[in-house]
Amino acid sequence: MAGPDAVDVLLRPTPEERARPGRAFLGDDELLLAPTRHGRLTRLVAGAASGLFGDLPETLGLYDPHAVSRTEAVHDPETVRIRYGELTGLAPFARPTGFSLHLRVDGRSEDVRLAFRSDDERAEAVSLARALRDRARAAGGDPSVFDPGGRTRLLSLDG
């Protein structure tokens, strides 16, 4: 199936939590949403260094805010696991500050929220949503596209 195997995201499993950088990994049976291995202090120092040096640490490969490998994601207890068959809704949308994807999962009371921060946020949001929709359908589900409300504009998954 077409689509990305891993995407850098800002992960917010519940509305009460602060968004953390991490990665979304598409597995055979489930989506893994793993937060970065860097703690708050490291992210704070890296953010200050990026502010002072204009993202030079990231450009030189000295720091990756989304640093987490698939192996780390599989073994990390903080990783959110979503089986494709349990995915009931997708909301890929544009908002005034960027692009996001909300996921409704059977058995969870709150949407899982993903945001994107890259040069091509729109393409990442749409390609991840398409890949999730296709994998959910292959697993016997049929996730609907829903409107999360607020100042948002849904992105089309057709095309």
Side-chain angles (χ1 to χ4, degrees), residues 85-149:
E86 296 173 354
L87 193 60
T88 60
L90 301 163
F93 61 93
R95 53 190 163 71
T97 57
F99 293 86
S100 293
L101 174 61
H102 289 191
L103 306 173
R104 285 193 178 151
V105 181
D106 195 24
R108 289 183 73 106
S109 60
E110 301 287 341
D111 295 346
V112 175
R113 300 164 182 226
L114 307 175
F116 300 87
R117 291 284 178 262
S118 72
D119 293 336
D120 203 3
E121 296 177 56
R122 184 183 199 290
E124 286 182 351
V126 170
S127 66
L128 182 58
R130 283 179 183 156
L132 289 173
R133 180 189 60 190
D134 293 346
R135 289 171 189 240
R137 286 178 177 168
D142 190 23
S144 61
V145 175
F146 68 94
D147 187 351

Side-chain angles (χ1 to χ4, degrees), residues 30-47:
E30 63 187 359
L31 171 68
L32 301 175
L33 301 171
T36 182
R37 71 173 93 104
H38 299 305
R40 282 186 182 168
L41 181 60
T42 303
R43 291 194 319 261
L44 179 69
V45 170

Side-chain angles (χ1 to χ4, degrees), residues 45-98:
V45 170
S50 290
L52 288 172
F53 302 112
D55 293 327
L56 191 60
E58 283 185 56
T59 304
L60 295 176
L62 301 174
Y63 174 74
D64 178 5
H66 301 279
V68 62
S69 69
R70 184 180 295 271
T71 302
E72 290 169 325
V74 167
H75 298 292
D76 187 352
E78 289 187 50
T79 297
V80 175
R81 290 167 168 74
I82 299 173
R83 299 191 66 75
Y84 298 123
E86 296 173 354
L87 193 60
T88 60
L90 301 163
F93 61 93
R95 53 190 163 71
T97 57

